Amino acid sequence: MAKRWQILVVFTIFSLTACGSDGDNNSDSSIDASDADSDTDTDSDSDSDSDSDSDGDTDADGDSDSDGDSDSDGDSDADGDSDADGDSDDDTDSDGDSDADTDTATGALTDSASEADTKPVFHLFLLFGQSNMYGYADNIEQVDREENPRVKVLGFDDCSATGRIYNKWDIAQPPLHACWVNGIGIGDHFGKTMIDAYPEKDSIGLIPCAIPGAGIDLFRKDVTASNRGDFFIPPDDHWGGAYEWMIVRAKLALESGGVIDGIIFHQGESDNGNPGWPDKVKEIVADIKADLGLDDLPFVAGELLYGDSGSNGHNKYVNQLPDIIPNTHVVSAGGLDGVDMFHFTPESYRTFGKRYGEAMISALGI
């Protein structure tokens, strides 16, 4: 009896070994769904690949792809995205957008610089001179009153007619200078021309600093004009001269976040025929740039009214300015009409202002 049990045990062991059974009554030569690792290979894991992990691929990195790294993004790096740049997004840089933020100059432009290029800019222009820049009285027409909210003016005085306040920004409309003049000058249509040249996100600010009848000495630094008492400088006439007043207003405009792009100037009738005038203008422009920390920005001056006027001969001095002042441009008054010997007609102010704007646009390269 004992011998028969021994024979049965041996036969059972031989049968199990010969049939290759894995304990689930199925042969390993077929796809086996009930064995320990549920696959058809011999690596003792739970997938059907030939490695030692259970991720379902053909490598041993522990992920679900075959790229040889430890992530499942389908590339050859371990950053968790679908590209090979070594960061955590789907582009070629690390900022989460779809560009590489590089240019041909540096090869490594940052997103912050790119974003800075798209920020709105407040472009400032300093306006000074005498009556033609200031404005001729009571010459405003409806076309001049059209406002653009992107064109601002720094209040010249407190004006109940416009609601404007001294040294506060407001939407530009005539008068840009003193409330009493109720007229347009060169600056009005200069501003209307300039704004069309800038991106729609940008705005401009006009800083009016003209004084009617003023000679050039009133605008010189540390100089008291011999006829200083003939002129009123806002807001309370305490200034020694117009230069210091201009600088204070320009600095105020800069503090409001603006950038001075250029200066426009119209003066000369009170200095008609003075050969020393060009050098005085040169001195003023150099002082303005130095005191405001400005680079070589454009300075645009205009000729005086042509015709049988007492100041017509002064244009030869106006046209000397580009020879002695860097980045200076002269605007022709040719073909413009006057209401008297010195002042332009409303239509000529519009044309002249546009010419100033076109000269400034050209000088700025915009």
Side-chain angles (χ1 to χ4, degrees), residues 12-21:
T12 300
I13 293 173
F14 175 80
S15 298
L16 290 172
T17 303
C19 295
S21 172

Side-chain angles (χ1 to χ4, degrees), residues 270-341:
S270 295
D271 290 87
N272 179 38
N274 179 2
W277 180 87
D279 285 332
K280 291 181 178 181
V281 176
K282 176 184 177 181
E283 170 194 288
I284 293 168
V285 174
D287 285 336
I288 290 173
K289 291 179 179 180
D291 288 341
L292 296 179
L294 304 176
D295 292 328
D296 187 23
L297 79 177
F299 176 70
V300 178
E303 292 182 330
L304 279 56
L305 185 65
Y306 279 36
D308 298 326
S309 70
S311 58
N312 188 40
H314 194 74
N315 283 337
K316 66 179 181 181
Y317 297 116
V318 175
N319 282 282
Q320 289 177 11
L321 296 179
D323 297 330
I324 62 174
I325 305 174
N327 204 1
T328 290
H329 311 266
V330 171
V331 180
S332 172
L336 302 181
D337 299 320
V339 295
D340 57 27
M341 294 174 60

Side-chain angles (χ1 to χ4, degrees), residues 333-349:
L336 302 181
D337 299 320
V339 295
D340 57 27
M341 294 174 60
F342 306 107
H343 303 100
F344 299 88
T345 64
E347 184 58 36
S348 290
Y349 277 123

Side-chain angles (χ1 to χ4, degrees), residues 141-160:
E141 298 179 8
Q142 186 57 41
V143 65
D144 307 312
R145 297 189 184 280
E146 294 176 1
E147 294 182 351
N148 186 324
R150 294 167 56 212
V151 182
K152 314 290 186 183
V153 62
L154 189 64
F156 186 88
D157 57 10
D158 295 335
C159 181
S160 59

Side-chain angles (χ1 to χ4, degrees), residues 243-296:
Y243 181 85
E244 292 75 16
W245 167 66
M246 279 197 303
I247 295 301
V248 167
R249 281 169 60 77
K251 287 183 176 180
L252 181 64
L254 288 169
E255 290 169 1
S256 67
V259 178
I260 296 180
D261 278 7
I263 303 169
I264 66 172
F265 169 75
H266 195 277
Q267 194 274 340
E269 291 90 349
S270 295
D271 290 87
N272 179 38
N274 179 2
W277 180 87
D279 285 332
K280 291 181 178 181
V281 176
K282 176 184 177 181
E283 170 194 288
I284 293 168
V285 174
D287 285 336
I288 290 173
K289 291 179 179 180
D291 288 341
L292 296 179
L294 304 176
D295 292 328
D296 187 23

